[in-house]
Amino acid sequence: MTADFQELRVKMVDGQVRTTDVTDADILSALLAIPREEFVPARLRALAYIDEDVQIAEGRPGRFLMRASPFAKLVQLAGVRAGDLVLDVGAGTGYSSAILARIAGFVVALESDAALAGEAGERLAALGCENVSVVEGPLAAGHAAQAPYDVILVEGAVDEVSPELISQLKDGGRLVAVVGEGNSGRATLWLKEDGLVSSRAAFNAAVPALDAFRREPAFEF
């Protein structure tokens, strides 16, 4: 039986997203419009809408399409608005960038994995997402060439956010990431105001880690 992806999209939004206090109409509309199944390996299309992270890089562990609920809550926390320039860090196959592109003015999709970056470019082009540019490079370094950004969204858990990313925020800009792994993960918002950056933890979130942001273990005698 062929899956009715439109119906699954509605069930995802109603059952996974609205129930976790995501109320932003633009986010909900984008989630209903973008075909999530197009951004996972073909053999996993039927699993695209389950309430779990879905692996997107076969043979390369640690790269996932984030569950809809924490992803939507992070976008809502970032307060993405029309006209914003957004840096999507760890864009994977491009799903997150496609969602952001329906809300923001322009999205820079940063991906360190060449194969994933290539897939993202193809899938975003096929959907007509003209306000997204896919760039390849180290995630923790950000993409200074198009900085400063109104919003920086990190697509995975981190031990710490790199100073390079924070330095690429525009005044008035927001950076959102989950700090810590598993049940200890906390969605955190950084704000840059008058040149000063402050942060606050917003809610618990368990999302897959991005290896690029792992803290180097300290040497001990």
Side-chain angles (χ1 to χ4, degrees), residues 62-79:
R63 301 310 298 274
F64 293 83
L65 181 61
M66 195 186 301
R67 288 185 299 125
S69 171
F71 168 67
K73 291 183 72 172
L74 288 170
V75 176
Q76 183 169 265
L77 179 62

Side-chain angles (χ1 to χ4, degrees), residues 23-185:
T23 58
D24 186 290
D26 290 335
I27 297 173
L28 298 173
S29 176
L31 290 169
L32 288 168
I34 297 299
R36 187 175 169 95
E37 70 277 6
E38 296 294 335
F39 293 89
V40 300
R43 66 180 182 83
L44 299 178
R45 283 167 61 92
L47 303 179
Y49 294 93
I50 63 173
D51 192 15
E52 294 180 17
D53 306 303
V54 180
Q55 188 171 346
I56 55 173
E58 295 182 275
R60 303 189 300 284
R63 301 310 298 274
F64 293 83
L65 181 61
M66 195 186 301
R67 288 185 299 125
S69 171
F71 168 67
K73 291 183 72 172
L74 288 170
V75 176
Q76 183 169 265
L77 179 62
V80 181
R81 300 184 288 264
D84 279 350
L85 174 61
V86 180
L87 178 64
D88 187 19
V89 180
T93 53
Y95 175 75
S96 54
S97 297
I99 295 293
L100 292 165
R102 294 198 49 110
I103 306 169
F106 194 86
V107 179
V108 178
L110 176 62
E111 180 48 56
S112 58
D113 185 300
L116 288 179
E119 291 180 40
E122 292 173 4
R123 288 167 174 170
L124 290 164
L127 286 178
C129 298
E130 297 181 352
N131 60 330
V132 182
S133 173
V134 179
V135 297
E136 186 184 338
L139 302 185
H143 188 64
Q146 289 178 261
Y149 300 97
D150 297 290
V151 173
I152 298 175
L153 184 66
V154 181
E155 299 287 342
V158 306
D159 288 339
E160 58 190 6
V161 173
S162 60
E164 291 92 337
L165 276 186
I166 292 175
S167 72
Q168 291 171 27
L169 275 179
K170 184 182 295 185
D171 206 61
R174 293 86 66 203
L175 186 152
V176 170
V178 174
V179 179
E181 294 184 49
N183 294 330
S184 66

